[in-house]
Amino acid sequence: MTEHSEHREQSLTTATEARALEALIARAARAGKGAAPVERWNPDFCGDLDMEIKADGTWFYLGTPIGRMPLVQLFSSVLRKDADGRTYLVTPVERVGIRVADAPFVAVEMDVSGSGGEQIITFRTNVGDVVEAGPERPLRFVDESDTGGLKPYVLVRGRLEALVARPVMYELVGHGEEVEIGGKTMFAVRSKGAVFPIMPADQLKRLSA
């Protein structure tokens, strides 16, 4: 195959993908504003799309960042993570796979109201979701074994989580306290009556020494 014909084939492929993306955008827009009821839809799998959400929350299509926030917000409204561990864009008529480097969302801001058992921790994600951590939207903390650090996640909806950005994580940990859980003293945070353990209190003391 000549260089010209290879270029032509690549152009046709790109054009086809662009038209497919335009059609997907149109169907996602018709699904409605805000988070769509994707859990109730069961369309056929239509293959994978060359789209990826990087660890910092940036969306890429065909290797290029998607710079239009309204478009990112539209796609985020039809995201679904299934039991197979994969993340999809879902409309009433199709389901396409995308890649996610870490979590699909990033919690970029938090607010704390109340205190003690009445305390509520609220997060805002990079795509505009507002989530109150609690029994229905739990926080979980993952140790980074390679760095010795900590990665907090908050459930947004379905199986979709937001990674708490590092500056927000430091603010979150600032609201931690020692709590007895199962006969063990844990460093934890409270929100909406739920207690979310971060790490054993003695481990924190060793790290702080």
Side-chain angles (χ1 to χ4, degrees):
M1 183 179 289
T2 67
E3 182 179 344
H4 176 74
S5 60
E6 287 177 352
H7 176 72
R8 183 173 178 272
E9 182 176 310
Q10 289 171 357
S11 298
L12 288 173
T13 301
T14 301
T16 301
E17 289 179 336
R19 286 195 294 272
L21 182 65
E22 289 173 2
L24 178 62
I25 290 170
R27 286 189 284 272
R30 287 197 296 271
K33 295 182 178 179
V38 294
E39 306 299 332
R40 299 204 299 266
W41 298 338
N42 190 31
D44 291 335
F45 175 62
C46 300
D48 293 324
L49 197 62
D50 188 5
M51 183 176 289
E52 181 176 12
I53 306 174
K54 300 290 189 180
D56 66 356
T58 303
W59 289 59
F60 281 74
Y61 177 64
L62 296 176
T64 302
I66 301 176
R68 295 169 52 198
M69 180 51 65
L71 186 54
V72 169
Q73 290 173 325
L74 173 63
F75 284 140
S76 73
S77 72
V78 293
L79 271 182
R80 189 177 80 193
K81 186 174 182 180
D82 286 358
D84 61 5
R86 296 198 60 202
T87 302
Y88 301 90
L89 295 175
V90 183
T91 74
V93 298
E94 66 197 320
R95 177 168 54 98
V96 296
I98 67 169
R99 302 185 303 278
V100 181
D102 195 333
F105 309 126
V106 178
V108 295
E109 186 179 5
M110 67 170 276
D111 177 75
V112 178
S113 61
S115 60
E118 302 299 316
Q119 180 169 278
I120 298 176
I121 301 174
T122 304
F123 296 93
R124 179 180 65 82
T125 74
N126 60 316
V127 294
D129 293 295
V130 177
V131 180
E132 291 183 348
E136 296 181 355
R137 300 289 183 272
L139 278 162
R140 68 182 182 96
F141 296 84
V142 177
D143 287 324
E144 290 186 285
S145 56
D146 53 340
T147 66
L150 194 67
K151 294 174 70 173
Y153 296 84
V154 60
L155 185 65
V156 176
R157 62 178 179 272
R159 297 183 180 91
L160 301 172
E161 293 181 308
L163 170 65
V164 178
R166 192 160 296 276
V168 182
M169 190 252 320
Y170 292 135
E171 184 179 355
L172 174 64
V173 171
H175 292 275
E177 58 184 287
E178 292 189 0
V179 180
E180 290 292 325
I181 301 176
K184 190 171 185 178
T185 304
M186 300 291 294
F187 185 68
V189 292
R190 302 177 186 267
S191 186
K192 296 190 74 172
V195 178
F196 303 106
I198 299 174
M199 66 177 66
D202 56 357
Q203 180 181 344
L204 177 63
K205 289 174 182 175
R206 288 195 301 272
L207 293 173
S208 302

